[in-house]
Amino acid sequence: MIRKVAIWCNFLLTVLLYGCEDCNDCKDLQQKSIKVVDASGTDLLFGTQAVYVVEALTLTGGGISQALFINEQEQSLQFFLEEDITAYTLLLDANTKENITFELSERDSERCCGTQTISMATQVNGVETANNDTIIIIK
């Protein structure tokens, strides 16, 4: 009887200590989208009135080039917030850059063990803007 209790206690202790082993411990990043429009709402990245060449745009953050994805269906640019980068620069052409900064925090991830870096506030060129997943830049 004592042996069965000891085996049961060892089993329970093992489950408690190693129960999270099945967890998907991936890096969970918040995705942001960017749209660039004029004062009347005309899209300046996509469509017949586009002013900027989407394929030529670059995004840097923390001094390094960041992945920038073109989403033609939503007519936006997409990127992921990195956990230690609060300032990004979007270069629209040789003479036009947009500075985007974030106040970052973390929350428990819904997809992985651990946390997800999220934005708590967003600024474009030093002006606070809505802290939505889609950042609207008005030119």
Side-chain angles (χ1 to χ4, degrees), residues 63-131:
I64 58 174
S65 183
Q66 300 292 318
L68 189 60
F69 305 98
I70 299 168
N71 185 331
E72 289 187 21
Q73 184 177 2
E74 291 184 18
Q75 296 193 320
S76 67
L77 305 171
Q78 296 177 329
F79 70 102
F80 293 101
L81 284 181
E82 295 290 335
E83 62 186 337
D84 293 327
I85 300 176
T86 59
Y88 295 82
T89 300
L90 176 65
L91 194 59
L92 295 171
D93 61 27
N95 301 313
T96 310
K97 70 178 180 178
E98 304 296 326
N99 296 306
I100 306 168
T101 58
F102 300 98
E103 180 182 315
L104 300 178
S105 185
E106 290 193 2
R107 69 175 176 207
D108 288 339
S109 172
E110 295 174 5
R111 297 183 319 125
C112 308
C113 288
T115 59
Q116 177 186 45
T117 299
I118 59 168
S119 65
M120 301 300 291
T122 305
Q123 291 185 347
V124 175
N125 298 321
V127 178
E128 186 126 3
T129 187
N131 187 44

Side-chain angles (χ1 to χ4, degrees), residues 5-78:
V5 170
I7 291 171
W8 175 251
C9 286
N10 282 338
F11 171 77
L12 187 57
L13 183 61
T14 301
V15 168
L16 290 174
L17 289 176
Y18 300 103
C20 267
E21 250 180 64
D22 292 343
C23 183
N24 179 13
D25 195 18
C26 64
K27 188 172 184 182
D28 193 6
L29 301 173
Q30 182 181 22
Q31 180 176 298
K32 290 288 191 175
S33 296
I34 300 172
K35 291 187 175 211
V36 180
V37 299
D38 67 12
S40 66
T42 302
D43 193 325
L44 300 178
L45 296 177
F46 298 90
T48 58
Q49 296 181 325
V51 175
Y52 303 105
V53 179
V54 179
E55 294 79 13
L57 302 180
T58 60
L59 181 70
T60 57
I64 58 174
S65 183
Q66 300 292 318
L68 189 60
F69 305 98
I70 299 168
N71 185 331
E72 289 187 21
Q73 184 177 2
E74 291 184 18
Q75 296 193 320
S76 67
L77 305 171
Q78 296 177 329

